[in-house]
Amino acid sequence: MSVTETGVPASSHLVLPIKGMTCATCAGRVERALDALPGVQATVNLSSDEADVLFDAARVEPLRLVEAVERAGYDIPHETRELAIIGMTCATCAGRVEKALRAVPGVTGAEVNLATEKAMVEGYAGVLRPADLIAAVRRAGYEGELLTGDAERDRALLVAETRRLTRESWHIAVAVILSAPLLLPMVGIALPAWLQLVLATPVQFVLGARFYVGSYKALRARTGNMDLLVALGTSTAYFYSLYVMLAGQPGTHLYFEAAAVVIALVMVGKGMELRAKRSTTAAIRALMSLRPERARVAREDGEIEVPVAAVAVADVVVVRPGERLPVDGIVVNGSSDVDESLLTGESLPVAKRKGDKVTGGSINGSGLLRVETTAVGEHSTLARIIALVEHAQAKKAPVQRLVDRVAGIFVPIVVMFAVLTFLGWWLLLGQLTAGIIAGVAVLVIACPCALGLATPTALMVGTGAAAKAGILIRDAEALECAHSLDTIALDKTGTLTEGHPRVTDIVTAGITEGALLSLAAAAQTGSEHPLARAILLKADGFELPRLESFQSRPGMGLMAQVTGRALAIGNRRLMDNCGVPREGFEAQAVGLEELGRTVMWVADVGESPSLLGLIAVADPLRPTARAAIEHLTRIGIQTVLLTGDNMRTARAVAAEIGIKQVLAGLLPAEKAREVERLQAEGKRVGMVGDGINDAPALAQADIGIAMGSGADVAMQTAGITLMRADPLLIGDAIAVSRATYNKIRQGLFWAFFYNVVGMPAAALGLLNPVIAGAAMALSSVSVVSNALLLRRWRPATRPRG
């Protein structure tokens, strides 16, 4: 063991990120807290917000370092690692891996998905070491591999998976060829005992070795799994037959076929299950295939082709007709139609010209485009979509946690039931052979696999189908919960309207229209609000005065200082707060509002506040807004309009699209309170919005639904993001959730049905082991195949071109 200059053993080294430090005193406090632990030497760097720690792992666990930092009053952020798990066969395997990962010091949570064969592990940054996680997986009896999100690595894993499927197909073929002749006695064709032994032995101990290995690992971890059930059942049938053969009991039926054929059937079932599970990840593979590997970058001396990873922000890439766009960016030259269907679900190509945003992965039409790069790598839209879908598919739905608890005790109960079955036939009825065969049938018909696959496979296919339609679901909980929504609260601007308002009317008070517009436009240069963009567009070409200060007042408007003049621009509430008289202009404002226009009041709020005028804007409704509300009403969803706009404008918009309940003039916090009030009435509420002011309500709702055209904070807060700015997708999001939930219920029903009906039938001698093995293999395949039917799901309403 190496030793530092101060004599502290340096057997282990960690770099811990520290949150909350503000000065050298903070750094000193953290350093002293860490150094107080035995065998620890720490150096805290304030500029990088990190602690470099050398410690003796024999004396101090990493988790104690975290506890010391937290006791000092600071935090260590969490991070997430994803692992590929190799060797799982059923739900109890997933539970065992999960338990092993959660026992690793520094891990705060772990979820293992049997369908994707992946584990999502959350823990303290710096402490969550991949080597420790992989070692824990191996101790549980499986192999683990860190997933980095690297495209080359993904392709390598896909090739390895394909080879695995090919190898498995050969093993299945050999098992079937050797096992098939053993069924001949069932149709009256006798086979010598020695030939049955020769055919069954390689199936039992060579091709079936996987079941013995899996059983050994399970028993070593003091648990059970599907491998244990198959190994126990087939071994009992094989060795009983071998005993009868060697004992020389002529006329006694041998059960070599029960052993070999069951193994072959289980292998066939697992092979079909592997292929079916691979189909559930088709959506992810389709998205990954959109990532171009190379890009053509414009340089001073011409165009050069480079790997996409080498493209930097602000680089200009050249995209020829028919090529995929390699990056996110803004068109700086050229025009074309771009196919974004695999990203947004939009069926028609979208016209792009100078100044328009384009997304990497979409297909260029007939024009040549030059695109200035705005995002690359993990920050690109495509990478974020892939990450979001993968995250949703890796997380567990709430119903799955109950299933996992059942699966955890499933194998011991089955073994006990099989033993009782054998004892009942032998001791009560005096039929030893019948007892052995009934016990074997019980063991092989029990299937914990179907229980473990029912929920994750349906969720994987559901999230994939949703992504194909332009609906991104953040996690399994959002997908599962959305089916129960009965109320949808909608923001107005940018959600039901296009979010591109135009100035329609200007009313002045002692000032010219040009002067009013110049002052308002100068003040709005500090705002990203759609209404601000409308004023700036109207004032295009004006020479604007200088903006000295700007302050947003969410839900009311803004305050600004323009060339020494204090301005307030916003709604009536802001005018009242600033003491601005509105007499003489109220009737005009009301008239404009009744036409569905939004009125902005502009006032000088210096020593003597006075009104300068009104600016009215109109924001056209989205073409599908009315159809979307009608669709929601048809499927039993109540709609409520929540807006910061005034009541008259809100009612005019609501009347046009068919919303009956309107709540207007709301601040962001008030929108959240209205959602909470609806929830208090017993309603399951979904909130749809696109702006920063919608984030509190999106977070409060049972499910937040963000329009993908809106602010990033809205999308980060929401459980569902609509990649296309189309209100029709709101109903489609609920529809795909309902379809997925129905598949989950069907899968769980059949999984329980097979076991509840099959095990008693086997115990009563109504099923021989071969039929039991076939039923067990069929149960998993049928559950996965039923979930795959979700791939046929299509939006009930198509986007309009």
Side-chain angles (χ1 to χ4, degrees):
M1 180 187 296
S2 62
V3 178
T4 65
E5 293 179 5
T6 58
V8 176
S11 60
S12 293
H13 173 243
L14 287 178
V15 176
L16 301 177
I18 312 292
K19 286 174 63 179
M21 295 191 300
T22 57
C23 62
T25 305
C26 299
R29 187 184 306 164
V30 173
E31 205 166 275
R32 286 192 298 273
L34 290 168
D35 286 342
L37 297 173
V40 174
Q41 179 185 342
T43 303
V44 178
N45 188 321
L46 180 62
S47 61
S48 64
D49 288 329
E50 290 178 340
D52 193 289
V53 186
L54 297 173
F55 66 101
D56 182 359
R59 301 172 67 189
V60 178
E61 288 188 349
L63 202 55
R64 289 189 62 192
L65 304 176
V66 175
E67 292 168 351
V69 172
E70 291 179 340
R71 280 197 304 273
Y74 304 92
D75 293 316
I76 293 180
H78 285 199
E79 66 179 354
T80 300
R81 301 281 190 180
E82 188 176 18
L83 302 175
I85 309 296
I86 302 164
M88 295 190 299
T89 57
C90 66
T92 51
C93 298
R96 185 158 82 248
V97 174
E98 208 167 85
K99 185 177 179 181
L101 288 170
R102 285 176 177 166
V104 175
V107 171
T108 58
E111 291 189 349
V112 177
N113 189 314
L114 176 63
T116 60
E117 297 182 332
K118 291 179 182 177
M120 293 284 288
V121 187
E122 186 179 348
Y124 293 103
V127 179
L128 195 64
R129 296 184 295 191
D132 294 341
L133 301 177
I134 291 171
V137 172
R138 285 177 177 162
R139 283 195 299 272
Y142 305 91
E143 290 298 319
E145 192 167 352
L146 182 70
L147 297 174
T148 61
D150 177 73
E152 287 297 326
R153 186 71 189 137
D154 290 338
R155 275 190 282 272
L157 287 173
L158 188 60
V159 169
E161 184 184 2
T162 303
R163 287 175 180 166
R164 177 186 167 200
L165 282 170
T166 303
R167 186 171 60 250
E168 186 66 14
S169 297
W170 279 107
H171 288 175
I172 290 170
V174 174
V176 170
I177 290 169
L178 292 174
S179 301
L182 292 170
L183 294 172
L184 292 175
M186 298 179 68
V187 293
I189 301 176
L191 283 182
W194 65 266
L195 181 57
Q196 293 185 48
L197 176 65
V198 168
L199 292 171
T201 299
V203 177
Q204 184 73 41
F205 298 108
V206 179
L207 298 172
R210 66 187 72 186
F211 300 111
Y212 290 103
V213 172
S215 301
Y216 168 72
K217 291 177 178 179
L219 291 172
R220 191 178 62 184
R222 299 179 181 178
T223 185
N225 61 3
M226 185 209 75
D227 292 332
L228 181 61
L229 297 179
V230 173
L232 280 175
T234 58
S235 296
T236 302
Y238 178 89
F239 285 111
Y240 170 75
S241 301
L242 183 62
Y243 165 76
V244 170
M245 175 183 165
L246 296 177
Q249 300 179 11
T252 304
H253 184 78
L254 301 178
Y255 290 95
F256 285 119
E257 89 283 353
V261 174
V262 164
I263 286 176
L265 285 170
V266 172
M267 290 176 65
V268 169
K270 279 292 169 188
M272 294 171 67
E273 183 186 308
L274 275 174
R275 293 182 183 279
K277 284 197 295 185
R278 192 165 186 256
S279 297
T280 64
T281 59
I284 286 288
R285 291 201 306 276
L287 287 170
M288 287 180 173
S289 70
L290 301 183
R291 298 187 289 202
E293 295 181 20
R294 303 189 68 78
R296 198 175 293 101
V297 180
R299 302 291 191 212
E300 290 183 1
D301 54 349
E303 298 174 7
I304 61 168
E305 195 171 283
V306 300
V308 169
V311 179
V313 173
D315 278 350
V316 174
V317 299
V318 180
V319 188
R320 293 173 181 170
E323 293 182 338
R324 286 198 184 275
L325 277 81
V327 296
D328 290 2
I330 296 174
V331 177
V332 293
N333 187 267
S335 62
S336 185
D337 290 331
V338 174
D339 181 357
E340 299 177 335
S341 57
L342 276 174
L343 293 169
T344 67
E346 175 62 70
S347 58
L348 298 175
V350 181
K352 301 290 182 180
R353 56 185 60 83
K354 184 177 179 180
D356 288 341
K357 293 180 180 179
V358 290
T359 306
S362 50
I363 303 174
N364 185 23
S366 58
L368 179 72
L369 295 177
R370 290 179 178 267
V371 177
E372 182 179 343
T373 305
T374 57
V376 293
E378 63 181 14
H379 302 293
S380 69
T381 300
L382 179 58
R384 289 162 63 193
I385 291 173
I386 292 172
L388 196 61
V389 176
E390 284 184 325
H391 177 75
Q393 294 186 344
K395 297 290 283 183
K396 283 187 180 179
V399 70
Q400 182 66 22
R401 306 194 202 297
L402 173 62
V403 174
D404 287 348
R405 286 197 293 273
V406 173
I409 60 172
F410 184 84
V411 172
I413 289 175
V414 171
V415 172
M416 188 181 301
F417 190 63
V419 171
L420 292 174
T421 298
F422 165 69
L423 293 175
W425 280 90
W426 180 33
L427 298 178
L428 298 179
L429 301 177
Q431 299 185 33
L432 175 63
T433 301
I436 290 174
I437 298 309
V440 169
V442 168
L443 289 170
V444 298
I445 199 169
C447 186
C449 315
L451 284 174
L453 290 168
T455 300
T457 49
L459 287 169
M460 288 173 64
V461 183
T463 51
K468 191 175 180 181
I471 303 165
L472 294 186
I473 297 163
R474 180 177 294 278
D475 53 39
E477 187 170 358
L479 183 65
E480 186 184 332
C481 292
H483 85 278
S484 62
L485 294 179
D486 53 31
T487 303
I488 293 289
L490 303 107
D491 172 51
K492 180 176 72 70
T493 305
T495 301
L496 295 172
T497 64
E498 292 184 350
H500 302 297
R502 297 287 186 269
V503 173
T504 58
D505 302 89
I506 299 176
V507 180
T508 62
I511 185 174
T512 66
E513 280 192 12
L516 178 65
L517 197 56
S518 293
L519 287 171
Q524 299 279 15
T525 55
S527 173
E528 289 295 321
H529 195 279
L531 299 181
R533 291 197 293 271
I535 292 177
L536 288 168
L537 183 66
K538 184 70 174 178
D540 188 31
F542 283 46
E543 186 174 340
L544 303 181
R546 184 166 56 91
L547 175 64
E548 296 168 350
S549 67
F550 173 90
Q551 184 182 9
S552 177
R553 295 291 179 86
M556 292 191 289
L558 62 89
M559 306 288 291
Q561 193 83 11
V562 178
T563 58
R565 197 167 188 171
L567 299 178
I569 305 175
N571 56 23
R572 289 178 178 82
R573 183 180 295 194
L574 182 61
M575 296 298 107
D576 292 343
N577 285 353
C578 295
V580 178
R582 294 183 278 110
E583 293 80 5
F585 290 87
E586 188 64 34
Q588 293 180 72
V590 169
L592 292 169
E593 288 166 350
E594 287 177 343
L595 294 173
R597 293 168 188 170
T598 299
V599 175
M600 286 180 283
W601 301 74
V602 184
D604 186 322
V605 290
E607 292 183 4
S608 179
S610 61
L611 189 68
L612 298 179
L614 309 174
I615 300 177
V617 299
D619 189 2
L621 284 168
R622 293 194 185 276
T624 57
R626 184 174 183 83
I629 300 304
E630 290 173 350
H631 180 216
L632 288 170
T633 303
R634 278 199 307 274
I635 62 175
I637 303 294
Q638 176 187 349
T639 53
V640 181
L641 183 62
L642 302 182
T643 179
D645 213 336
N646 67 85
M647 181 59 81
R648 275 178 288 271
T649 301
R651 279 181 174 160
V653 169
E656 190 171 346
I657 60 177
I659 295 180
K660 294 182 174 59
Q661 190 173 347
V662 180
L663 297 165
L666 301 177
L667 297 175
E670 291 172 333
K671 285 186 179 181
R673 281 198 292 273
E674 288 299 332
V675 170
E676 189 176 9
R677 181 184 61 79
L678 290 167
Q679 290 169 325
E681 294 175 0
K683 299 183 185 301
R684 297 278 292 175
V685 183
M687 173 69 197
V688 188
D690 77 322
I692 294 172
N693 62 331
D694 298 316
L698 289 168
Q700 175 62 45
D702 294 288
I703 296 293
I705 303 174
M707 303 292 281
S709 58
D712 279 350
V713 68
M715 288 183 273
Q716 290 164 8
T717 309
I720 297 174
T721 298
L722 309 179
M723 288 302 294
R724 196 169 66 249
D726 185 351
L728 281 171
L729 288 180
I730 301 167
D732 290 334
I734 296 171
V736 75
S737 173
R738 290 178 175 179
T740 303
Y741 190 71
N742 285 337
K743 288 300 178 188
I744 291 173
R745 288 197 303 179
Q746 292 166 12
L748 290 176
F749 169 79
W750 285 112
F752 280 107
F753 177 82
Y754 273 111
N755 290 299
V756 170
V757 173
M759 286 171 57
L764 293 172
L766 301 176
L767 298 175
N768 69 40
V770 172
I771 300 300
M776 190 269 268
L778 180 64
S779 65
S780 295
V781 175
S782 63
V783 164
V784 176
S785 299
N786 185 50
L788 286 173
L789 294 177
L790 268 174
R791 293 167 66 183
R792 299 179 181 176
W793 178 86
R794 295 291 183 272
T797 44
R798 290 292 180 183
R800 297 177 182 177

